[in-house]
Amino acid sequence: MVGTGTMGTLHLEAWKNAGSCEAVAVIGRTEQNIIQLAEQFNVKGFHHLQTALEQLPIDIVDVCVPTHLHEEVIEIAAQAGKAVICEKPLAADAKTARRIVDLCEKYDVPLFVGHVLRFSPEYKAARQQVINGAIGKPGVMRLTRGCPYPKGRDEWYRDESKSGGVLLDLGIHDFDWLLWTFGEVERVMAKRIKRENLEYALVTLRFASGAIAHVTLSWGITKFSASFELAGSEGMITYKSSDQDPVVVELFHEIDRKQERVAVPSYLVERTPLEDQLQHFADCLENMRSAIVTAADAVKVIEVAEAALESVKIGQPIQLKKGGVLK
């Protein structure tokens, strides 16, 4: 595990719960975090990946460092012949992403990229309903995603050259799911505002099929939220994360001050989407199967996010060639 921040911790917990692989090392930059996670998960702690690779039998390198550091870490892992699992986005720009893909192909190592919405129950079910024709011909989709402004060491999220900002780092979730579900994007239009601890964007995607998606993204709200409305010629599918709180407590003091009511949703997942994702990647390695998320998918969605960033810059729609490459 390379990365000792929040995402690295989540991945360590997910590997532990999934039970398919044993985490043996954590690699990070901060001494305190390395010691804490090494003790918490009973693994070895290192400052450098190369040292860990020389001292321990390692099959998979799980990359959870900031986006702009992905390439240098993956290069070390690929040169050592290790399979790579990398957090999204694969890189901060498509050119770097393509270099990473070429690098892994050169050293013949598997490359898996973590686009976790493909493993989220609500988004998986909605996609399957769309494919099954439940809404008829897709017409207009509206998706939202928001969370508090992210904080990272050296505040790297604020540097768009490192993180890609809200359009890449956050928007890539919905962009990837939309491409997976509705196919090629031909045209992108985006608007964005940036303030201290706030970044807000509106993106319109036109698909080759003629369908349109409106995506609203925000860094700066107080609590995570996500939603979608998928409208077609025969119906609509809707989802709001606020309706899926695992436990809601309501007190009725007018009846009995000690009376409580606990409402539980109709289903509780046995494994989180992240655990399912990592288990899927591990199964692909063990059984030599192709992953749901391909390296080409990871590059293509970055190209769409880049088109949105370019649209913001010039204030005009961006037309994409077939395959997602900018014209």
Side-chain angles (χ1 to χ4, degrees), residues 116-128 177 228 239 244 267-274 276:
V116 75
L117 276 197
R118 299 195 185 201
F119 300 88
S120 174
E122 299 84 2
Y123 288 82
K124 284 173 60 179
R127 178 180 184 268
Q128 193 58 54
W177 183 82
F228 58 69
Y239 161 74
Q244 304 298 317
Y267 69 90
L268 291 171
V269 295
E270 294 183 2
R271 295 191 306 193
T272 67
L274 178 57
D276 278 340

Side-chain angles (χ1 to χ4, degrees), residues 10 62 112 130 233 295:
L10 289 173
D62 190 347
F112 304 106
V130 170
S233 60

Side-chain angles (χ1 to χ4, degrees), residues 123 144-148 170 218 221 223-227 240-242:
Y123 288 82
T144 70
R145 185 165 305 274
C147 63
L170 187 64
S218 58
I221 64 175
K223 182 182 178 181
F224 171 82
S225 68
S227 68
K240 289 183 180 180
S241 61
S242 59

Side-chain angles (χ1 to χ4, degrees), residues 76-305:
I76 294 171
Q79 288 177 342
K82 309 302 179 182
V84 175
I85 295 174
C86 183
E87 254 302 325
K88 65 80 202 167
L90 180 56
D93 60 82
K95 183 178 180 180
T96 304
R98 293 187 203 103
R99 281 204 308 268
I100 291 173
V101 172
D102 291 343
L103 187 68
C104 290
E105 289 179 351
K106 174 183 177 181
Y107 290 100
D108 194 26
V109 298
L111 171 62
F112 304 106
V113 185
H115 288 285
V116 75
L117 276 197
R118 299 195 185 201
F119 300 88
S120 174
E122 299 84 2
Y123 288 82
K124 284 173 60 179
R127 178 180 184 268
Q128 193 58 54
Q129 289 294 325
V130 170
I131 292 172
N132 291 344
I135 64 171
K137 183 178 180 180
V140 179
M141 286 71 71
R142 296 185 184 276
L143 297 89
T144 70
R145 185 165 305 274
C147 63
Y149 200 99
K151 296 181 180 179
R153 182 178 174 181
D154 305 323
E155 294 192 330
W156 65 274
Y157 283 101
R158 296 183 184 277
D159 186 340
E160 196 167 284
S161 68
K162 294 179 178 179
S163 71
V166 73
L167 284 163
L168 177 63
D169 190 82
L170 187 64
I172 201 166
H173 286 294
D174 296 284
F175 298 158
D176 176 70
W177 183 82
L178 285 165
L179 288 169
W180 186 44
T181 305
F182 299 102
E184 296 283 348
V185 169
E186 290 187 338
R187 183 171 172 168
V188 180
M189 179 68 187
K191 294 287 186 180
R192 180 187 61 184
I193 61 170
K194 295 178 70 172
R195 302 286 188 271
E196 184 69 18
N197 295 324
L198 172 67
E199 194 166 339
Y200 182 90
L202 298 173
V203 186
T204 300
L205 307 177
R206 180 178 290 276
F207 294 84
S209 65
I212 296 174
H214 301 289
V215 183
T216 303
L217 306 166
S218 58
W219 276 348
I221 64 175
T222 58
K223 182 182 178 181
F224 171 82
S225 68
S227 68
F228 58 69
E229 295 179 354
L230 314 174
S233 60
E234 302 296 329
M236 176 184 289
I237 302 172
T238 66
Y239 161 74
K240 289 183 180 180
S241 61
S242 59
D243 294 337
Q244 304 298 317
D245 290 335
V247 177
V248 177
V249 179
E250 297 181 15
L251 304 180
F252 297 92
H253 299 291
E254 67 277 11
I255 300 175
D256 185 342
R257 291 183 181 274
K258 294 182 180 181
Q259 180 181 353
E260 296 183 1
R261 185 179 74 180
V262 179
V264 180
S266 58
Y267 69 90
L268 291 171
V269 295
E270 294 183 2
R271 295 191 306 193
T272 67
L274 178 57
E275 290 167 10
D276 278 340
Q277 173 186 277
L278 296 179
Q279 181 64 60
H280 171 70
F281 291 157
D283 289 344
C284 288
L285 283 171
E286 185 175 1
N287 300 302
M288 299 188 69
R289 296 173 180 167
S290 298
I292 291 174
V293 187
T294 68
D297 293 336
V299 174
K300 183 183 295 184
V301 70
I302 294 174
E303 291 169 344
V304 172

